[in-house]
Amino acid sequence: MKMLGPWPVLQFIFGLAILGGGIFMIIKGTQKGGEPKITPQVEDQRDRWRAYEHLRNIEENSFKMVALMQQLLEEQRRLEDQLKALAAAIWNRGV
Amino acid sequence: MAHALSEFHLYYVKGRVFEWTFALSMFFAGAECLVWDNVISFGAFHWMLQVTSQKWIGSLLFFIGWIRISALMFNGQLLFGRRFGWGVRGVCAALSATIWAQFAFALIQGFALNGVPSIGLPFWTMFTLAELLIAYQVGAEWKK
């Protein structure tokens, strides 16, 4: 048997021990990593805040849009009444 | 270009710098052993040559380094519907720890015989411990 340096058995045992330690660490890691932990990162929180700001903006704008459309409808009705009045005036003048 | 590099770093490198370092070191060390002669015969490492030849050591380093680089490049891709990357990386980390430990032990033997520790002893020892930590971290990734 060739000499593995001055302490061949110790070297072999040392190698096996490190290999066993590596396998042990893998197994320990799998036990620890049972449930994937989702920790919110700063960028994720920032993105979430930005998304909520957009939603708030959209909500405010949607109420404004409804109010503006009601106003528009009112103006259209007024315009319709005025057009009817104009048409009636033109008709009556002709008669 | 900068954005592509940033995406590449985020996907492949982030959180795995040590693994890439050891994988590439092992790969190129193996290539060095295969190309040049008498690479390992310096200092205390010559005791490793009493076990096997430099070509075998170089082939082992080259092969494990290649497998590890491949596993890092896979990065979560599925094979037959399952992720094997974490397992390959874990086993490679354990094997690498064993190899680095052999280098460290060769230097420990030199220290014991000469009474003067080699400057490389802390490095090889820390490499061994770092690989064990990587094996633990990789195991913790298995459900991701």
Side-chain angles (χ1 to χ4, degrees):
Chain A
M1 180 181 147
K2 284 188 179 176
M3 280 285 290
L4 301 170
W7 302 288
V9 176
L10 193 61
Q11 185 167 358
F12 184 70
I13 292 172
F14 187 65
L16 278 181
I18 295 295
L19 185 62
I23 304 293
F24 173 74
M25 293 297 271
I26 294 172
I27 293 170
K28 280 293 266 186
T30 56
Q31 287 170 355
K32 188 234 176 194
E35 290 297 321
K37 293 185 185 67
I38 302 170
T39 53
Q41 303 295 326
V42 174
E43 288 83 17
D44 293 335
Q45 288 175 330
R46 206 171 279 150
D47 288 339
R48 191 180 299 173
W49 176 83
R50 219 175 274 135
Y52 277 123
E53 284 295 306
H54 283 309
L55 278 172
R56 186 180 60 81
N57 211 16
I58 290 169
E59 188 190 20
E60 284 173 4
N61 285 343
S62 65
F63 284 121
K64 281 182 195 167
M65 277 169 66
V66 166
L68 281 170
M69 286 185 78
Q70 279 175 343
Q71 211 173 336
L72 194 66
L73 201 61
E74 284 298 318
E75 296 292 333
Q76 275 184 339
R77 285 197 185 117
R78 201 178 302 163
L79 185 64
E80 188 190 348
D81 292 339
Q82 286 175 347
L83 282 173
K84 280 182 186 169
L86 182 64
I90 293 169
W91 175 262
N92 291 335
R93 226 168 77 177
V95 171
Chain B
M1 178 74 175
H3 179 73
L5 280 173
S6 167
E7 289 292 321
F8 179 85
H9 171 265
L10 203 66
Y11 189 70
Y12 285 108
V13 180
K14 191 174 180 182
R16 298 168 185 200
V17 174
F18 278 126
E19 286 187 69
W20 275 105
T21 303
F22 288 128
L24 289 170
S25 302
M26 191 174 271
F27 180 77
F28 288 118
E32 194 178 312
C33 289
L34 291 172
V35 170
W36 282 281
D37 295 328
N38 300 322
V39 170
I40 306 181
S41 58
F42 297 104
F45 296 137
H46 70 276
W47 280 323
M48 296 175 70
L49 294 174
Q50 295 187 6
V51 179
T52 181
S53 69
Q54 178 179 305
K55 296 298 179 193
W56 276 105
I57 294 172
S59 300
L60 187 67
L61 290 172
F62 189 80
F63 178 71
I64 295 178
W66 191 351
I67 296 292
R68 205 169 184 184
I69 290 170
S70 303
L72 284 165
M73 291 299 292
F74 275 141
N75 193 28
Q77 293 181 35
L78 298 176
L79 193 65
F80 308 116
R82 304 194 74 168
R83 286 194 175 86
F84 290 102
W86 72 272
V88 175
R89 284 163 55 209
V91 170
C92 284
L95 288 173
S96 300
T98 309
I99 292 172
W100 302 145
Q102 297 302 309
F103 282 90
F105 196 79
L107 293 177
I108 290 171
Q109 290 176 94
F111 177 28
L113 291 176
N114 301 329
V116 178
S118 167
I119 189 68
L121 183 57
F123 289 98
W124 293 110
T125 307
M126 290 312 297
F127 291 165
T128 306
L129 295 174
E131 291 283 12
L132 292 176
L133 180 62
I134 287 170
Y136 176 77
Q137 287 177 338
V138 166
E141 281 185 21
W142 79 283
K143 268 203 173 177
K144 289 185 186 172

